[in-house]
């Protein structure tokens, strides 16, 4: 046991060697804590039994789920009743399909379907576990190896859901205190990844490199190439451009002949041109391997069903065996853009080589909801006449930037000139009927 005199001597020595401002601050903090404890104990209002019963009787809790308009556009579901391909049955109508992201028409490829069925018989329907917990099968590793080889990168990591791919990749590398420069028109998955990163976000105007340069100059004043000049890490989301742009479908870097050394990470979905499910990231071993420990969608989601991983491998086989399919898709996209630019009541948006087009009403409506409802009406009429087009759906109250309602149209490599002309005539007739 410590002697009492010695204890007092120690306390005296501490006070003697401690600066006055530190003693004052500690005393203030001690008094503040005492005051808070006494205030909480004595500051509560005490109710009588009758007052408590009255408060309980008059209490009206907020609804568990807020009121939802039964006519909300997102509750307007169209029923698909057939296999999805160049043609599809929607609400009982056999339609030319201009709504699905089946750019290369691989959903109808018999060889891919047969490979997926073989995988189903071998592995079953699903993996029933995340990649780190008995969810990794040899077909997953084969797919990652093939993707890295196809994209000419060191390594690839596969996710089971396209949305979670880029939404997990961004916060895996960016944290509070980092600065991210982002195109103002990025999709909702990227927006969620930005939110999760808690980084400082600067949006530059859509596809406007001059505006990006302006923002970067505020960070550092030099005069060289953007990435080296500002010590940037460059992440590309190629969910639409992968399997679409470039001579061999490798995406935007191949299309613009950009050295892959300039790109740190490429993220893309396998739900568009590949006709499968999930997504992937490719890059250096150091960059990609980090996601296996920090990518939330990779660590905590059940792995991609093996049959869909095999379907993606078979799609890559088709990419390498028949590279002319990319030129065919680009020509179809260009032709559709050219013809659809002639609508009298609609204006087309998007790049001619992009398989995704947006059709906007020529007149901007004051109420976004009313404009969206009119587009839904146009879509329903087109479906009834055999053309499946769909209004683009957004969470308008959550999107980072204002988004104007539109009809979304997607090109398919299998479309013919007759198909495109027929679709143009029907959409033109419907818009004239409903917008006059």
């Amino acid at each position: 046991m410590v002697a009492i005199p010695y204890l007092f001597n120690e306390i005296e020595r501490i006070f003697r060697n401690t600066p006055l401002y530190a003693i004052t601050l500690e005393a203030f903090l001690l008094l503040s804590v005492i005051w808070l404890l006494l205030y909480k104990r004595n500051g509560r209002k005490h109710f009588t039994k009758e007052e408590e019963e009255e408060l309980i009787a008059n209490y009206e809790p907020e609804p568990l789920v807020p009121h939802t308009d039964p006519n909300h556009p997102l509750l307007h579901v169209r029923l698909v009743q057939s296999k999805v391909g160049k043609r599809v049955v929607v609400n009982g109508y056999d339609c030319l399909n201009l709504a699905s992201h089946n750019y290369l028409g691989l959903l109808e490829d018999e060889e891919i379907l047969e490979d997926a069925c073989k995988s189903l018989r071998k592995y079953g329907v699903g993996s029933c576990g995340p990649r780190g917990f008995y969810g990794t099968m040899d077909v997953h590793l084969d797919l990652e190896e093939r993707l890295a080889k196809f994209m000419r990168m060191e390594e690839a990591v596969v996710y089971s859901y396209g949305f979670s791919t880029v939404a997990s990749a961004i916060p895996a590398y960016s944290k509070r205190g980092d600065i991210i420069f982002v195109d103002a028109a990025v999709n909702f998955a990227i927006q969620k990844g930005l939110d999760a990163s808690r980084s400082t976000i600067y949006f530059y105007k859509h596809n406007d490199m001059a505006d990006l340069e302006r923002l970067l100059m505020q960070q550092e004043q030099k005069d060289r190439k953007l990435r080296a000049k500002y010590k940037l890490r460059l992440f590309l989301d190629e969910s639409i451009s992968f399997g679409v742009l470039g001579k061999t479908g490798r995406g935007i870097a191949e299309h613009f002949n950009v050295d892959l050394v300039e790109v740190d990470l490429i993220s893309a979905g396998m739900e568009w041109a590949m006709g499968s499910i999930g997504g992937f990231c490719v890059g250096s071993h150091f960059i990609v391997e980090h996601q296996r420990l920090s990518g939330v969608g990779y660590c905590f989601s059940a792995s991609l069903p093996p049959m869909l991983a095999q379907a993606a491998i078979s799609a890559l086989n088709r990419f390498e065996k028949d590279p002319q399919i990319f030129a065919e898709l680009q020509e179809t996209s260009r032709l559709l853009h050219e013809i659809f630019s002639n609508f009298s009541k609609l204006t087309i948006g998007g790049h001619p080589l992009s398989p995704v087009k947006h059709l906007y009403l020529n007149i901007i409506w004051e109420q976004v909801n009313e404009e969206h409802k009119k587009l839904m009406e146009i879509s329903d009429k087109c479906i009834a006449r055999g053309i499946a087009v769909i209004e683009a759906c957004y969470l308008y109250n959550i999107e980072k930037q204002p988004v104007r309602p539109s009809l979304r149209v997607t090109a398919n490599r299998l479309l013919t000139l007759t198909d495109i002309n027929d679709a143009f005539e029907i959409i033109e007739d419907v818009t004239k009927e409903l917008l006059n």
Side-chain angles (χ1 to χ4, degrees), residues 48 61 85 90 157 174 181 200 272 307 340 371:
T48 64
V90 183
V157 58
S174 299
F181 299 92
T200 301
W272 318 117
M307 63 177 178
F340 277 28
E371 187 172 4

Side-chain angles (χ1 to χ4, degrees), residues 308-325:
L308 295 175
Q310 180 58 56
I313 292 175
S314 299
L316 287 174
N317 292 337
R318 184 69 185 277
F319 284 11
E320 295 171 346
K321 184 175 68 174
D322 299 320
Q324 74 278 0
I325 61 178

Side-chain angles (χ1 to χ4, degrees), residues 178-213:
D178 291 333
I179 297 174
I180 307 179
F181 299 92
V182 187
D183 190 296
V186 294
N187 60 43
F188 195 65
I190 295 176
Q191 294 176 35
K192 292 295 97 182
L194 296 173
D195 289 342
S197 74
R198 299 177 297 174
S199 302
T200 301
I201 311 299
Y202 293 107
F203 289 98
Y204 59 89
K205 297 175 183 177
H206 181 45
N207 286 343
D208 191 335
M209 294 299 101
D211 193 45
L212 173 59
E213 178 85 7

Side-chain angles (χ1 to χ4, degrees), residues 284-298:
S284 67
H285 171 79
F286 174 77
I287 291 289
V288 171
E289 194 69 14
H290 178 64
Q291 291 187 54
R292 301 189 192 278
L293 297 176
S294 301
V296 174
Y298 179 91

Side-chain angles (χ1 to χ4, degrees), residues 241-255:
S241 53
F242 172 72
V244 172
L245 294 181
K247 185 177 180 181
T248 59
R250 287 180 169 86
I252 197 168
E254 182 182 50
H255 178 73

Side-chain angles (χ1 to χ4, degrees), residues 258-365:
V258 174
D259 190 340
L260 290 175
V261 174
E262 300 294 325
V263 183
D264 293 283
L265 185 74
I266 294 176
S267 171
M270 298 187 293
E271 301 166 358
W272 318 117
M274 296 184 82
S276 185
I277 295 292
F280 66 89
C281 291
V282 292
S284 67
H285 171 79
F286 174 77
I287 291 289
V288 171
E289 194 69 14
H290 178 64
Q291 291 187 54
R292 301 189 192 278
L293 297 176
S294 301
V296 174
Y298 179 91
C299 295
F300 301 108
S301 297
S303 62
L304 184 68
M307 63 177 178
L308 295 175
Q310 180 58 56
I313 292 175
S314 299
L316 287 174
N317 292 337
R318 184 69 185 277
F319 284 11
E320 295 171 346
K321 184 175 68 174
D322 299 320
Q324 74 278 0
I325 61 178
F326 306 112
E328 294 171 1
L329 172 60
Q330 292 165 17
E331 176 59 24
T332 301
S333 299
R334 185 198 61 77
L335 183 61
L336 186 145
H337 192 99
E338 179 183 339
I339 294 174
F340 277 28
S341 296
N342 297 316
F343 285 120
S344 60
K345 303 291 183 181
L346 302 169
T347 301
I348 193 169
H351 192 279
L353 291 183
S354 173
V356 181
K357 321 289 182 183
H358 287 268
L359 300 176
Y360 301 94
L361 300 179
N362 284 347
I363 300 175
I364 300 177
W365 294 42

Side-chain angles (χ1 to χ4, degrees), residues 389-435:
V389 295
I390 190 170
E391 70 284 355
C393 293
Y394 303 98
L395 299 173
Y396 290 101
N397 59 329
I398 303 179
E399 293 281 344
K400 298 296 183 184
Q401 305 291 334
V403 183
R404 190 184 170 196
S406 65
L407 288 175
R408 193 194 69 216
V409 174
T410 55
N412 184 314
R413 178 182 65 90
L414 304 177
L415 293 175
T416 64
L417 177 60
T418 301
D419 293 329
I420 298 173
N421 282 327
D422 289 345
F424 173 84
E425 294 295 335
I426 289 175
I427 297 173
E428 176 73 358
D429 288 346
V430 169
T431 52
K432 282 183 175 180
E433 175 188 346
L434 296 179
L435 296 175

